[in-house]
Amino acid sequence: IGYEQKLNGQPFFLTGSWDTLDVKGITVYLPKEASEFEKQRANELGTLMAEASAFTANLLGTAPNIPMRIIAVRRGAGFADSGTILLDYAAFRRQKIDSQTAMTIADSVAKIWIGNAKLVRGEGYGVIHEGLTRFIATQFIEKQFGKSSADAERFRQLTAHATVARNDA
């Protein structure tokens, strides 16, 4: 299957054999012969991506008209570009969606607008491309899962940044 890339992004390709599930306009590529439990989780992940897209569109305007995909992979999990998110097979086998997976989805969706649809370049672009998208994703997490979940994510971000900040000083 081939796709035309209409957004700013790097070309990439994947090979594999998947079953597909359409969830609110999001295509989820599952491991072949996925169990009913994995299909249920895929439905939840697709719904989360659709809700993150609606939340971001409410903030930043109409969504770019591109296919959005979540793809189960063995290697390369965490990669996301131009509406495609690679998630480890394990994400489909967990009892519920974990915070890192939810954050990856929300952040990746925000980057469709900031960085893919609108190219971000120049001095300090990282603040916009990484910082603003992470802020929007955290706002979505707060709306979706509550203030305590967003506070836990902010604390995790603060802890991760503190290590870098100490070295930069």
Side-chain angles (χ1 to χ4, degrees):
I1 298 175
Y3 299 98
E4 179 183 344
Q5 178 58 279
K6 297 176 184 175
L7 301 176
N8 299 300
Q10 294 294 317
F12 61 92
F13 69 92
L14 304 169
T15 62
S17 183
W18 293 275
D19 289 330
T20 60
L21 183 67
D22 185 58
V23 182
K24 298 183 179 184
I26 310 295
T27 305
V28 182
Y29 292 77
L30 291 159
K32 274 287 188 195
E33 300 176 11
S35 70
E36 285 305 312
F37 180 80
E38 291 168 324
K39 289 177 184 176
Q40 177 187 349
R41 187 66 58 242
N43 195 333
E44 292 171 9
L45 291 166
T47 299
L48 183 69
M49 188 172 186
E51 290 170 351
S53 181
F55 178 85
T56 307
N58 190 43
L59 290 175
L60 302 177
T62 305
N65 187 19
I66 59 157
M68 292 180 160
R69 304 173 203 90
I70 296 174
I71 303 174
V73 295
R74 286 194 181 102
R75 290 180 286 177
F79 173 82
D81 197 10
S82 306
T84 299
I85 302 171
L86 307 185
L87 294 179
D88 192 275
Y89 285 153
F92 297 87
R93 296 184 182 118
R94 294 187 179 112
Q95 290 299 319
K96 60 182 183 176
I97 299 173
D98 65 292
S99 62
Q100 283 303 116
T101 301
M103 197 63 187
T104 296
I105 290 171
D107 188 55
S108 300
V109 167
K111 285 180 180 175
I112 294 170
W113 278 260
I114 302 170
N116 288 148
K118 297 293 182 190
L119 187 58
V120 180
R121 287 190 178 163
E123 197 169 317
Y125 77 94
V127 172
I128 302 298
H129 187 259
E130 299 299 326
L132 182 56
T133 57
R134 186 58 53 106
F135 173 78
I136 291 168
T138 307
Q139 292 297 101
F140 171 72
I141 295 296
E142 184 170 342
K143 176 192 169 281
Q144 198 71 13
F145 300 106
K147 184 167 176 16
S148 62
S149 295
D151 287 344
E153 180 55 33
R154 287 183 193 100
F155 182 72
R156 191 197 62 73
Q157 293 169 13
L158 177 68
T159 309
H161 180 71
T163 305
V164 174
R166 256 182 285 173
N167 292 337
D168 281 351

